[in-house]
């Protein structure tokens, strides 16, 4: 595949930058493995990534009920994920944030919810 094969998600990214310059900057992933998809992700430990996810979800008009909420890393990380469409590209939004109610014991020691 050539770069031309990624035209759809790259065009969507360009339009997102023009239409939503005021929104928080995501990590961006465009891949020849999934050439029709643009992935936007948000990572932090403070929970601000969840707020950024919601701002983007709202801007892209992805319904709240389309959001999948789960945890990973033995319940220590909250993950939000939603898919939608923008400018002909599939959009995947993902946010990762530390769970505030999980004891952060050092590696090798027991830890759990408070």
């Amino acid at each position: 595949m050539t770069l031309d094969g990624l035209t759809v998600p790259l065009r969507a990214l360009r339009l997102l930058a023009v239409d939503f310059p005021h929104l928080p900057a995501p990590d961006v992933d465009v891949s020849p493995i999934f050439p029709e998809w643009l992935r936007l992700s948000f990572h932090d430990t403070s929970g601000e990534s969840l707020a950024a996810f919601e701002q983007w979800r709202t801007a892209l008009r992805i319904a709240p009920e389309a959001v999948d909420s789960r945890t990973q890393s033995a319940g220590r990380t909250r993950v939000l994920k939603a898919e939608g469409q923008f400018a002909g590209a599939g959009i995947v939004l993902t946010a990762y944030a530390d769970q505030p109610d999980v004891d952060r014991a050092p590696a090798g020691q027991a830890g759990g919810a408070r």
Side-chain angles (χ1 to χ4, degrees), residues 66-104:
V67 177
D68 177 43
S69 178
R70 58 185 168 85
T71 61
Q72 66 184 34
S73 301
R76 294 179 304 201
T77 303
R78 183 169 179 201
V79 181
L80 299 179
K81 184 175 180 181
E83 295 181 2
Q85 294 284 315
F86 182 80
I91 303 284
V92 179
L93 296 179
T94 310
Y96 303 90
D98 287 348
Q99 286 280 54
D101 59 346
V102 175
D103 181 14
R104 307 251 182 267

Side-chain angles (χ1 to χ4, degrees), residues 30-110:
V30 176
S31 170
I33 297 170
F34 301 103
E36 299 296 318
W37 289 89
L38 174 62
R39 298 178 187 285
L40 307 177
S41 59
F42 308 90
H43 307 260
D44 74 29
T45 58
S46 70
E48 288 181 21
S49 63
L50 303 179
F53 174 94
E54 281 300 308
Q55 290 174 11
W56 276 100
R57 183 196 60 74
T58 300
L60 295 171
R61 297 183 175 146
I62 299 173
E65 50 274 0
V67 177
D68 177 43
S69 178
R70 58 185 168 85
T71 61
Q72 66 184 34
S73 301
R76 294 179 304 201
T77 303
R78 183 169 179 201
V79 181
L80 299 179
K81 184 175 180 181
E83 295 181 2
Q85 294 284 315
F86 182 80
I91 303 284
V92 179
L93 296 179
T94 310
Y96 303 90
D98 287 348
Q99 286 280 54
D101 59 346
V102 175
D103 181 14
R104 307 251 182 267
Q109 296 182 10

